[in-house]
Amino acid sequence: MSEQPLNPTPAGSPNATPADTTPAAPARTGSTAADAHADAHADALADASADEAAALRAASFERARRLRMEPRFPGGPAADPAGSHHERRIRSFQPRRSRVTTGQQESLERLWPKWGLDIDGKRVLDLTELFDGLPVVLEIGFGMGEATAQMAADDPGTGILAVDVHTPGQGNLLGLADRAGSTNVRVANGDAVILLREMLAPESLDGLRVYFPDPWPKARHHKRRLIQPDFLDLVAPVLKPGAIIHCATDWEPYAEQMLEVLTAHPRFANTAADGGYAPRPAFRPLTRFEGQGLDKGHVVHDLLFARV
């Protein structure tokens, strides 16, 4: 949208004044309370002493931190569920900001109080109570939730604790599960590492699914990949003996790293007889990302390792 000058009187008209010929500041469109606060904050800093300016900056930072922690929707997922409990470390995910549709928002507002939870790192989840006694698998990174909803509908006897940070995807999965009549899905919002480390009891999971995680293809970003020895050290204690960690990727170098890391870990054993990749199990539907990779000629690799 183009912005119009505050005073549209054309220069050179009979009613023009010197003020008319001065370029006008562009009109502010879409101004919000945050914009007004930012303007007032800037004015206050300009008039303040050094000590007062430092105090104003600290107050503004704290206000911004509280706003980040507030749910985007009433009763919905928090923007920063762990808050100050988060430690500084390299993360394997990067939150995406995209528009939440009306349907996704409605699902979040209606279903989040029943089927959603924030990963705040402040309690240990009782999965038996949360899933009414069903065996539970953890899925990390479900995108828009189509494959997760399909697996939940196909296997109502297994609970799926699905973790992601993408708000539209959270709303979409909740809506898909609700329309399918699936009651065995719970959606967790936040960092899976905090969930694994601080919110799950030992040997409480019957499986882990990591489908098409971000491959971080650039060499300098490989440290951000999720499947690393330290991550497996967190996973092993919360899996029951014999539980399966199932990974899938269409990025060949990442598949090779996954196979190497999983094979080297003493708490996991490859279920493939030849020690390599496994055929895609029937319970894993083709995902949207998988379809995109196949269209580009990528080869998809599944890895199934049992916790020993």
Side-chain angles (χ1 to χ4, degrees), residues 7 63 154 159 218:
N7 188 336
R63 187 180 297 106
D154 291 344
K218 295 181 180 179

Side-chain angles (χ1 to χ4, degrees), residues 190-263:
D191 189 343
V193 168
I194 292 177
L195 175 71
L196 288 163
R197 191 183 63 204
E198 301 176 38
M199 297 182 67
L200 294 177
E203 298 186 1
S204 59
L205 290 178
D206 292 82
L208 171 65
R209 298 168 180 171
V210 183
Y211 298 154
F212 304 94
D214 193 327
W216 295 102
K218 295 181 180 179
R220 67 177 183 273
H221 291 156
H222 286 181
K223 60 190 175 185
R224 295 183 178 274
R225 289 175 172 173
L226 181 63
I227 306 302
Q228 307 274 7
D230 290 348
F231 174 75
L232 297 181
D233 289 341
L234 287 177
V235 169
V238 300
L239 289 177
K240 296 176 181 177
I244 298 295
I245 176 171
H246 181 193
C247 303
T249 182
D250 66 335
W251 194 259
E252 186 80 25
Y254 197 8
E256 294 171 355
Q257 176 186 327
M258 288 180 176
L259 183 60
E260 179 182 350
V261 170
L262 282 161
T263 300

